[in-house]
Amino acid sequence: MATEPMTSPPDEDGLPGPASSDVLTAEEPARQAPEESRPVGRIGRWLPRYSWSGTVGALLLGYSALTPSLLPRGWLLQGLIAGINAAIGYGIGEGVAWFVREFTDRRPSPVLRRRAWQVLAVLGAVLGLVMLWLGQRWQADIHHLMGLDAPASFSSAGIVVVAAIVFAAFVGLGRGIRRLTRWVMRQAGRLLPRRLARPLAVVVVGVLVIFLVNGVLFQGLVGAANTAFSAKDGGTEEGAVRPTAPERSGSPDSLVSWDSLGLQGRNFVGTGPTPQELRRFSGRPAQEPVRVYTGLASADDVAERAALAVRDLERAGGFDRQALVVITTTGTGWVDPAASDSLEYELNGDTAMVAMQYSYLPSWLSFLVDQVKARDAGRALFDAVYGAWSQLPPDRRPALYVFGESLGTFGGEAAFSGLADITNRTDGVLWAGPPNFNELWRGAVENREPDSPEWLPVYEAGRSVRFADAAPDLDQPAGPWGQPRVAYLQNASDPIVWWSPRLLLHRPDWLRGTRGPDVSPSMFWMPFVTFWQVTADLVFAVGVPDGHGHVYVADYVNGWAHVAQPPGWTHSDTERLRQLVLADWQRTLAD
């Protein structure tokens, strides 16, 4: 009985077969070229070719990217995520096929291969249409959860085109790496046995790729971004005016020059409520709030910038105020004006705030590459301020608070060894949008009471630390909240809070049980897919309404009211200030 030849057919099917193997050994130099390079006619020879098993993986993971994530997405971002997932799926499908080929001898007939492609073409098209339709519905649901109008149309054609381009680019890159590995294997095979040549080639190419991606490409992109944003740092945004009041850095009396503050430093000291605006809100005479800041150009290193900030704070009378706030900034040195304005209104200007720049990069990029700088800056600034504050007589010390948002919470936490250290050296802490890798935050969340969800944990009955997705959450649980108070603001839909490499292979607790109020009930965890979806959400985390994503505008009012407990402050004052702060934020967006 004749047997089927063990060579691959002229058309690519990608089903298990010896000629579709992704690895050539050093003893097989005469093996056929990769199937994607074999000509199949005038047009076909110029088109990339894909295996059946890889295509199955690509379709499954690509379609899964249409499932809902934390934030609303447009067609361009959706196509990008789908393309990345499809490329990962293709690699997984090829890996499974290679594993099967290595351990089985049976090969499908040409008829079976042809039928398999026909079935895949039909099922793939039908499933694609279904998933695009479901994707449109899921996106409408997420928009409604965040108080947004559903998109008028969900550009399915655009998603497919972008996904196909991204998929082809990543698979092409992978095939280039594979060809390089084969070439190294052949060269090594001339001198070494096959068992040594194959792993050696993989190691050599792997090290080369890591070096190029991390040491050349990534660092080059970071360097280019740093250069671009450092040039922008020299500007001044509309509305930021050099202060004349001695209570501000950058003023004629200040030890810190206006030009050295950087873009965000000038925004911080050159804006904010005036004594007249504070008086209109409170109905009482108000003080000029103290705002002190040092930029990257203000001193040579982080320790000198912190020391300079303390000297300017002393000069401005910051240690004579009712409250002194140490702020660890985010990325470019930004301080959320909603956070600083809120406390100044609540204490009628009897405040001092000090902050320091540590990077030129925007928050989402600093989140990935500047964690060490944030930690060093937070520790240096708090230690310098605390050193001067602790030398004052106890009855003359202002209340000492700590504030940070996003990466600023990471830097703020770095100043303390634990919760006991916070309660011993501060009068309260307000942190918003903490990254998932924050140690103190993570410790409290992991040790929460069993019946509380990860997105709204209850730690030690709320006696010292409380968490809030919405403002009323700070009133829970009903037991006493002692002194000093630590408050974490964390929206259930904030990707900064929930992004973690563990999402690749582990289902997070925030997707178990009861969901956050603005997290789609249709969202579910999938290996690889959820990680890339939440990663993409990072870039657009602030492009949503207040109270969602990484936006905490009005909730700062409630946060400071609970942490600082202003004398005579009422619930109606909170509601009035929330409306005022929201209106200012909306005007800024409109401008």
Side-chain angles (χ1 to χ4, degrees), residues 137-363:
R137 296 188 59 185
W138 285 326
Q139 285 299 315
D141 290 342
I142 297 176
H143 279 73
H144 289 148
L145 285 172
M146 298 193 176
L148 298 170
D149 294 332
S153 62
F154 199 74
S155 182
S156 300
I159 292 174
V160 173
V161 171
V162 173
I165 293 173
V166 172
F167 166 77
F170 275 97
V171 173
L173 178 62
R175 285 175 169 174
I177 295 172
R178 185 181 64 189
R179 292 189 182 101
L180 177 61
T181 303
R182 287 170 170 170
W183 181 83
V184 173
M185 193 183 305
R186 288 194 297 270
Q187 304 309 309
R190 296 174 180 175
L191 303 173
L192 300 172
R194 180 186 64 176
R195 291 184 178 180
L196 291 179
R198 177 183 290 183
L200 178 64
V202 173
V203 170
V204 169
V205 174
V207 170
L208 178 62
V209 170
I210 292 174
F211 172 75
L212 290 175
V213 171
N214 187 51
V216 178
L217 179 61
F218 183 72
Q219 294 300 327
L221 290 175
V222 171
N226 199 61
T227 300
F229 286 106
S230 65
K232 183 180 178 181
D233 194 58
T236 302
E237 291 185 357
E238 185 177 353
V241 180
R242 183 183 182 186
T244 57
E247 292 85 357
R248 303 292 178 107
S249 291
S251 68
D253 296 317
S254 174
L255 303 178
V256 185
S257 69
W258 171 255
D259 291 338
S260 74
L261 290 172
L263 176 68
Q264 299 302 341
R266 287 187 283 273
N267 287 341
F268 178 63
V269 303
T271 60
T274 65
Q276 294 76 20
E277 291 170 327
L278 296 172
R279 185 173 63 249
R280 280 198 297 271
F281 181 85
S282 68
R284 305 184 317 259
Q287 299 184 59
E288 176 74 50
V290 174
R291 291 193 179 190
V292 170
Y293 194 98
T294 52
L296 284 172
S298 299
D300 292 336
D301 59 40
V302 65
E304 291 182 10
R305 288 193 293 274
L308 176 60
V310 170
R311 293 198 301 272
D312 206 37
L313 187 65
E314 292 173 329
R315 176 206 60 78
F319 289 99
D320 299 324
R321 296 304 177 98
Q322 178 182 346
L324 169 59
V325 184
V326 181
I327 301 172
T328 305
T329 61
T330 66
T332 56
W334 181 67
V335 177
D336 193 331
S340 52
D341 293 359
S342 294
L343 185 61
E344 289 172 347
Y345 273 106
E346 291 180 10
L347 295 180
N348 206 30
D350 194 7
T351 59
M353 298 185 182
V354 55
M356 183 170 70
Q357 182 185 17
Y358 58 82
S359 175
Y360 291 123
L361 300 177
S363 185

